[in-house]
Amino acid sequence: MPAFPDGEPAPETGELPAASSDGAAARPFAVYVHVPFCRVRCGYCDFNTYTASELGPGADRQDFAATLGREIALAQRVLAGFPARPLDTVFFGGGTPTLLPARDLAGMLATLRDAFGLASGAEITTEANPDTLTPAYAQALAAACFTRVSIGMQSADPHVLAILDRTHNPDNVASAVAAAKSAGLACSLDLIYGTPGESDESWRHSLETAIGHEPDHISAYALGIEEGTKLGAQVRRGLIDDVDPDVQADRYEIADAVLAAAGYDWYEVSNWARPGKECRHNVHYWKNSDWWGFGPGAHSHIGGTRFWNVKHPRAYAERLIRGVSPAHAREVLSPEAREEERIMLGIRLREGLSIPPTGKDAIPTLIADGLIDGAAAIKGRVVLTLRGRLLADRVTYALLGVR
Ligand SMILES: C[S@@+](CC[C@H](N)C(=O)[O-])C[C@H]1O[C@@H](n2cnc3c(N)ncnc32)[C@H](O)[C@@H]1O
Ligand code: SF4
C-alpha cells in the first residue's frame, strides 16, 4: 500500500495552492471537528485524546470552543477565494465531544454556520459516550440543529467491556438511544468485534442487543491492537491473547448476516444502515470530497491538498493565539496520488468505483477469486463481494497494479 509521506511544512498563513479551488463548486464541502477530551482513556484506544490529568495547563476544556473559533476564522480567510459552499455535513468526533457542555457544541456549530452557511438538510452529527447523553443534553443538541448522534456502545457483554477497559454503564446505551430518539435525533451505534475473550455467541448477543435499540445505523469495527495503548502492552506481555484475524473474519460474516436480516445493509466496509440512513459525512471521506478538519491533530483535504494539525491541544491553542495556522505539515497530491486515493477509498463503498486503468488486467482474476462482483465488472465497476470486503487490501493492490 503506498504510504503517505511525512509531508512538507505547511505555510504559517494556512494558505493553499492556487489550484485547490479548481472545480471546487462541484465538490461538496464537509467539516470535521475533533474534540480531544475523554473522562478516562479506554485500554484499546489510540485516538488523539486526553484526560483532564494528561492535559496540563494551557489547554483548558472551557477555552476549547473559543480556540476552535480562531481556526474557523482562519479557514474562512484561507477559503475566501473559493466559491461559496454551504456545509453539507458537520461531524463532531473525538475524544468525547459530549464531555463539553451542549452550549459549547451549539456555539461551535453556530460559528461554522456564520462562517460558511449550512446546506438545506445538512447532516450534523456528534459522537457521544453512552454515559454523557441525557435527555436534556439531547434536547439541547436538537435545538442547536444537530440531526444525529453516534454512540460508542462497543459490546453488550460485560466480560468484553471489561477487557476493552470500558467504563460506561451498559444500561446507559438504552437510555442514551431513548434520549436521542425523543429529541428527534437519528441514532448510530458503534460496535467492536474480535476482542480476545469474545465468543460467536457473545458477538451475536451484542449485535442483537444493538438491533433491539432500533438505531438507524450501526458501525462495526474489528478490534485493532494499537502500539502505546494499555491493551497493546497487555498483549505484548502475554496477559491477554492477541486478536485472531480468522476469528475476526468469521465475526464480520456473522455481523453482515445478522444486520442484513434485520434490515441494515452495508454501504461501506464497516458501516450498515437502514435504507436512506447512511452517514453522508462518512461517504464524503470515501469519495474524497473537500473537508476541513478543525481541532488538534485533525486532518483536512481540500482540492488535492492534505494537511494535518499539530496534535497536542496546548500547541494547537498556542499557534492560534499567535495568529498562526495550526497546520503542522501538508502534502500536495500529484494526479497519480489522487487516482491512488480514489481507488483506496472508493473500493470500500458498496457503490464501488469505475475500473481504474491500472487494474484492468487484474479484473478476471479478482472475479475468479470471488473478490469482486462479476455483473458489476461487466458494467465497468468494481464492487466488493462479501469475501472481497474481508480482503479489501488485496483488491486495492491489484487495482493499483501492484504485484
Ligand atoms: C471517538 S470513539 C466514539 C465516541 C466515544 N468516545 C466513545 O468511545 O463512546 C470512535 C469509535 O472508534 C472505535 N475504536 C476506537 N479505537 C478502536 C480500536 N483500537 N479498534 C477498533 N475500534 C476502535 C470505537 O468503536 C469508538 O466508538
Ligand atoms: S474509545 Fe472513545 S471514550 Fe474511549 S478513549 Fe477512545 S475516544 Fe475516549
Side-chain angles (χ1 to χ4, degrees):
M1 189 77 54
F4 291 135
D6 291 336
E8 60 187 44
E12 290 207 332
T13 56
E15 77 185 290
L16 291 165
S20 310
S21 60
D22 292 352
R27 291 193 302 269
F29 186 32
V31 156
Y32 172 74
V33 177
H34 187 73
V35 182
F37 308 120
C38 288
R39 194 174 59 76
V40 289
R41 178 183 295 281
C42 307
Y44 57 91
C45 180
D46 77 340
F47 285 41
N48 185 38
T49 184
Y50 304 81
T51 61
S53 63
E54 288 171 331
L55 213 47
D60 290 338
R61 278 184 203 168
Q62 55 268 34
D63 298 335
F64 185 75
T67 307
L68 199 106
R70 292 175 188 261
E71 192 186 355
I72 295 172
L74 178 130
Q76 210 182 355
R77 288 196 297 278
V78 169
L79 299 176
F82 279 59
R85 291 182 296 172
L87 301 175
D88 186 53
T89 63
V90 181
F91 193 102
F92 288 75
T96 309
T98 46
L99 265 190
L100 295 179
R103 67 171 178 279
D104 283 6
L105 298 192
M108 288 186 273
L109 180 58
T111 311
L112 285 165
R113 184 178 46 222
D114 292 347
F116 303 111
L118 291 181
S120 118
E123 178 193 275
I124 318 286
T125 307
T126 182
E127 286 182 340
N129 183 292
D131 288 339
T132 56
L133 198 65
T134 61
Y137 201 103
Q139 293 289 350
L141 290 177
C145 291
F146 279 76
T147 62
R148 277 178 100 241
V149 288
S150 170
I151 300 169
M153 171 178 168
Q154 321 309 352
S155 172
D157 180 342
H159 173 64
V160 170
L161 289 171
I163 292 185
L164 290 175
D165 204 24
R166 274 300 277 199
T167 57
H168 77 252
N169 177 349
D171 295 341
N172 284 349
V173 174
S175 39
V177 173
K181 285 188 182 174
S182 67
L185 298 168
C187 201
S188 177
L189 294 174
D190 281 352
L191 294 172
I192 290 181
Y193 59 89
T195 302
E198 177 196 71
S199 62
D200 284 356
E201 291 66 41
S202 90
W203 175 230
R204 277 182 192 281
H205 172 62
S206 290
L207 287 163
E208 279 156 11
T209 306
I211 290 166
H213 294 313
E214 301 192 347
D216 303 282
H217 182 283
I218 293 181
S219 304
Y221 304 111
L223 177 68
I225 306 289
E226 310 295 346
E227 279 285 313
T229 59
K230 180 175 164 192
L231 185 62
Q234 288 168 318
V235 168
R236 213 177 41 250
R237 288 195 209 112
L239 300 172
I240 291 182
D241 289 341
D242 204 347
V243 293
D244 178 338
D246 291 335
V247 169
Q248 290 198 323
D250 291 347
R251 301 272 154 79
Y252 183 89
E253 289 183 352
I254 292 173
D256 193 60
V258 171
L259 291 170
Y264 295 86
D265 288 330
W266 80 283
Y267 68 96
E268 191 277 332
V269 171
S270 303
N271 290 286
W272 290 258
R274 287 177 162 167
K277 298 293 182 179
E278 298 82 5
C279 174
R280 288 207 318 259
H281 188 81
N282 252 337
V283 174
H284 283 322
Y285 289 146
W286 307 120
K287 288 194 170 171
N288 231 351
S289 305
D290 281 3
W291 77 86
W292 192 296
F294 292 92
H299 285 232
S300 303
H301 171 260
I302 305 281
T305 297
R306 290 188 171 278
F307 51 99
W308 47 97
N309 286 347
V310 289
K311 278 183 88 171
H312 199 282
R314 191 167 54 243
Y316 170 78
E318 279 168 4
R319 286 201 182 207
L320 285 162
I321 288 164
R322 276 198 290 127
V324 164
S325 162
H328 166 67
R330 75 177 189 184
E331 184 193 2
V332 182
L333 299 172
S334 64
E336 295 73 28
R338 289 179 85 161
E339 172 64 0
E340 282 174 4
E341 289 213 336
R342 183 184 79 87
I343 297 169
M344 287 176 0
L345 300 171
I347 192 66
R348 298 181 61 90
L349 288 169
R350 183 175 198 150
E351 68 180 66
L353 70 158
S354 57
I355 296 175
T358 47
K360 275 203 174 97
D361 294 349
I363 296 297
T365 311
L366 291 172
I367 296 171
D369 290 348
L371 296 172
I372 65 168
D373 179 17
I378 290 169
K379 294 183 194 145
R381 296 200 64 81
V382 193
V383 176
L384 295 173
T385 58
L386 176 57
R387 181 172 145 75
R389 280 186 264 159
L390 293 167
L391 297 168
D393 283 353
R394 195 167 126 198
V395 178
T396 305
Y397 280 122
L399 295 177
L400 291 169
V402 178
R403 286 172 202 281

